[in-house]
Amino acid sequence: MRMIFVNLPVKDLTVSRAFFGTLGFGFDPNFSNDEAACMIVAENIFVMLMVESRFRDFITGPISDANTATEVLTCVSAESREAVDTMLAQALAAGGRPWKPVMDHGFMYACSFQDPDGHVWEAVHMDPAASDG
């Protein structure tokens, strides 16, 4: 079984943990400390939120400023259109910023927002029964 670990630099780990906790994500205490928090996305998918000094231990070159350039789009699935709307509302209420308008393509409904560090997140609900394919 493969696992996915997305590693993101954050300026304030406490703020990031609170933000993602508000969105319903939990954290694995076995892989979390004062420098990093292991956010559980799914059984095999995790996001390591790392303070910038710890993140630098894993990279060469500068850390991208996600507030001025988009380095990645991280998309998570949602069970329904309502769940997409709920995640967007929670993100904005917790200090996130809107990114692009809600996308409604019939079979696919998605929102996007920036977390407190400027990283772009999307929530998407896909309904295969509504697609033309």
Side-chain angles (χ1 to χ4, degrees):
M1 166 177 55
R2 290 190 183 262
M3 301 168 77
I4 295 175
F5 291 87
V6 176
N7 298 280
L8 292 178
V10 300
K11 296 197 181 311
D12 187 324
L13 188 57
T14 301
V15 169
S16 293
R17 281 184 73 130
F19 177 81
F20 289 107
T22 298
L23 300 183
F25 292 102
F27 295 89
D28 185 336
N30 295 316
F31 300 104
S32 300
N33 57 32
D34 59 347
E35 294 184 318
C38 181
M39 185 172 83
I40 303 165
V41 178
E43 182 180 355
N44 301 346
I45 304 170
F46 307 90
V47 175
M48 294 299 299
L49 303 171
M50 296 183 194
V51 295
E52 289 183 346
S53 59
R54 181 67 176 132
F55 187 79
R56 286 186 199 288
D57 292 338
F58 296 94
I59 66 167
T60 60
I63 294 174
S64 296
D65 181 351
N67 289 298
T68 61
T70 304
E71 83 280 39
V72 66
L73 298 174
T74 304
C75 183
V76 296
S77 62
E79 292 113 22
S80 66
R81 295 167 76 93
E82 294 78 19
V84 169
D85 292 336
T86 297
M87 183 177 281
L88 178 60
Q90 290 171 328
L92 300 180
R97 295 180 306 278
W99 195 58
K100 292 182 75 176
V102 170
M103 296 175 281
D104 188 348
H105 298 288
F107 75 98
M108 183 177 77
Y109 183 77
C111 72
S112 59
F113 55 88
Q114 289 180 293
D115 69 20
D117 290 285
H119 304 292
V120 177
W121 291 81
E122 295 179 319
V124 63
H125 171 68
M126 295 182 62
D127 180 3
S131 74
D132 293 335

